[in-house]
Every structure is written in C-alpha cells, then in structure tokens.
Amino acid sequence: MPTPGCRGRSAAPPLPRRGLSSRRRWAGAAGPGGPAAGAMALPVLSSSAVKFRRVLAQFPQELSLAFAYGSGVFRQAGASAEHGENNMLDFVFAVDDAVSWHMTNLLKNRSHYSFLKFFGPKKITTIQRYGAGIYYNTLVPCNGRMIKYGVISTDALIEDLFHWKTLYVAGRLQKPVKILAQNENSKLQAALVSNLKSAVTAAFLMLPESFSEEDLYMQIAGLSYSGDFRMIIGEDKSKVQNIVKPNVAHFQKLYSNILQDCPQVVYKHHLGRLEIDKSPEGQFTQLMALPKTLQQKITALVNPPGKNRDVEEILLQVAHDPDCGFVVNQGISGIVRSSSIVQSAKTILTAGAKKSITYSMKKLYKMTKGGLKKTS
C-alpha cells in the first residue's frame, strides 16, 4: 500500500545547535516542525524578540518547548495593531518534570497561582493531568502586559501531537505560533511534524476535490474548534476566519513543504489552488494515516454496538461513504468536546473564582463585539 496520507518523507531531525547554552535553542521561527514542516522562518522584530525573552526570563528555564500564540502575537482580522498590542499574551511551556518546574515556579512566582498554591507542586501537577493535560495561570501581570501561560508535560504534549488525545495543545500548534525556545528532543521534533501532516490529512477528507489554499487553512484552523462548546458561548463566531485571513502567508510557510511533498495532492502554488484524490482508495489511504484517537472515534461512530470489526475494515467502509468528511468531522468534534469541557471546568480551580469570572467576561465581550461587527 502506498505511504499513507501526507507522510511521504520522514520527519526532519532536530535543528543543530547554534552556539546556545545547554540543549535549548532560542528560535525566531514562527511555527513548529523545523525545515521539513515548512517551519516559519519569519524574521522576528528585535523589539518583539526582546519582549518575549523578558517574559521567559521570569520563569524556570527547564523548558523542552516554549511558544507564544494568539491575537497578542499574530494580528487577527478586524483588530487594529494597537488592539493587538493591548491583548493578553498567551504562552505554552512544555516541561520534562512538571512537579520540579512548579516547585521552582512557586518560589519565583507564587502570586501567579490560585489557592491551589497552598496544596503544593504535586497536587498542582495532579490537577494539570486532567482535561487537556495543561495547567493555566491566567491574567498574570508581567512587564507591563497581561499574560496567560499553560504548563504541559513533554510526554503529554508528544502524545497529543502524535495521537490527538485531546487536540488541545496540538490544535494550537496547527496554527502559526512563535517558537521561543526548543531543546533537541528528536521525538518532540518528529511529533511536531507529524501533527502538521495529520492536520493536512484530516482537512483533505473534509474538503472537495478542488479548493483554494485559504479553504485548506480555514479547515485546518477550525479543527481544534470543532465541537468546542466555547464556540457556542465565549468565543467570537468569526474566530477561524479572523485567524486565517490576515495570516495566509504564515500558514503557507508552515505547510507549503508538506503540500509539495504530499503524493496525494496537486499543489498549484502559483494559483493558490489544490486538487486531491477523492476516490475511495485515496480516502482510505488518508483515513489510515489519521491519528490513533481520531480513528478510534470514527470506529465508535460507525461500528454498531456489539459488533467487533477490524479498524481497517471500518475505515474502508467510511472511505466509500459519501458522508466520509462529515464522519471525520464528527470524530474530531468528539475529541475536542470532552477535553474542552473538562479544561474549562478546571479553570475555576487553576485561576480562582475572581479571575475565572473576569476572563469569561472578556471572552463574552469579544464574542459580542464580533457578532455586532458581523451584523453591522
């Protein structure tokens, strides 16, 4: 059988050291995955780089990966440059030893934590494991800006990237981010590339035979919002469009190499158009390349209760189904829905009641503002 999906080339090895201390490299690249993933080698303005370095300097330095994301980093449609400068900065820190990291961070930044700080780093790490496996401290004043930062174990991140266990942090890494620090963990590097390829494969299954690059990036950007209850209440309904439209060039740099290497797509880069194989054979190949958790979700949706069939047999049936794309979308929604509900409920503990209400009100304001713009 041909190489499944868009996995025509093996993942690139980690980038070489460039005279950096220990095993971590500081990165100005705005995306995961290194050269093989079309990593976004966009130049970061020195003022921006300094801003992010100053934030990172406030935290324990034992990070396997650190990245910034969201509207405080990348401009979104309908927002002025000044608005972006005032938005909260969002960060994710991946750490090899969460208990040790929280222990050090409690010594340095005790005020960042809710009442859970009184229970110590082991209890904080236990709570971190629930939901999407990430622990957020939000509405934290830092160097004149409000920031939010999430802490996830390296192992949990790798599992999400490879298998889409929650599609929470993996979903954020399917969109442009600014990689701030990354150590030379070859498994993490391979997982970052695998996640991007999986996003392309899942999007192909939900798109028609011919479509534009923007259509592809809209589909990819929407993967991690599919089934997220916060899109009903708490998020701007135009969020996906607002992310993609001003950042098409960023998405291109993230995905162009993957698209050029993919054996199942004709990528007309100069026209911004793509054509894919929508035959049952082509769709079966793509279904077989999907992350394990998504395959399991699809199998559970299609397989009648009490009938034990082989996963390959079920996916072959789905490949011949005219509603194949809908089934894939339902599978993704199932993953996102459960993790987003638990993660949001966890926020009441990790942020505390006051911050939770403040953060929720800000989200509701953005949602209402987006709705008013759409109707005006």
Side-chain angles (χ1 to χ4, degrees), residues 300-312:
L301 285 168
V302 176
N303 201 29
K307 190 173 182 182
N308 294 319
R309 290 192 295 162
D310 185 73
V311 172
E312 193 166 331

Side-chain angles (χ1 to χ4, degrees), residues 51-52 54-56 58-59 86-91 93 109 112 136-150 355 359:
K51 174 176 65 180
F52 293 129
R54 282 177 176 166
V55 171
L56 280 191
Q58 308 297 316
F59 297 96
N86 294 327
N87 275 0
M88 183 160 61
L89 292 173
D90 298 316
F91 297 88
F93 303 147
N109 300 303
H112 294 184
Y136 272 105
N137 284 324
T138 189
L139 295 174
V140 174
C142 185
N143 297 334
R145 290 286 291 272
M146 279 293 180
I147 72 165
K148 176 180 77 175
Y149 64 94
K355 280 188 177 181
Y359 184 68

Side-chain angles (χ1 to χ4, degrees), residues 223-262:
L223 291 176
S224 62
Y225 297 117
S226 179
D228 190 337
F229 83 98
R230 293 171 301 175
M231 294 303 290
I232 302 169
I233 180 166
E235 289 286 6
D236 183 353
K237 302 298 185 296
S238 306
K239 189 176 181 74
V240 173
Q241 183 176 304
N242 292 346
I243 290 169
V244 174
K245 284 195 174 293
N247 295 299
V248 168
H250 293 229
F251 276 93
Q252 286 175 328
K253 288 184 181 294
L254 197 55
Y255 286 102
S256 61
N257 285 1
I258 289 173
L259 295 173
Q260 286 165 3
D261 291 347
C262 183

Side-chain angles (χ1 to χ4, degrees), residues 120-138:
K122 286 186 179 179
K123 183 60 70 175
I124 287 170
T125 302
T126 299
I127 291 167
Q128 177 178 307
R129 295 190 187 107
Y130 287 99
I134 187 166
Y135 186 103
Y136 272 105
N137 284 324
T138 189

Side-chain angles (χ1 to χ4, degrees), residues 110-181:
R110 192 172 179 81
S111 63
H112 294 184
Y113 291 81
S114 68
F115 67 92
L116 292 174
K117 59 177 167 277
F118 298 111
F119 293 91
K122 286 186 179 179
K123 183 60 70 175
I124 287 170
T125 302
T126 299
I127 291 167
Q128 177 178 307
R129 295 190 187 107
Y130 287 99
I134 187 166
Y135 186 103
Y136 272 105
N137 284 324
T138 189
L139 295 174
V140 174
C142 185
N143 297 334
R145 290 286 291 272
M146 279 293 180
I147 72 165
K148 176 180 77 175
Y149 64 94
V151 183
I152 186 170
S153 77
T154 307
D155 289 342
L157 174 58
I158 288 172
E159 184 176 18
D160 199 29
L161 291 168
F162 272 130
H163 304 304
W164 288 10
K165 185 180 178 183
T166 68
L167 200 51
Y168 199 87
V169 180
R172 277 150 180 72
L173 284 162
Q174 289 162 0
K175 297 177 271 290
V177 302
K178 284 204 188 307
I179 301 287
L180 307 174

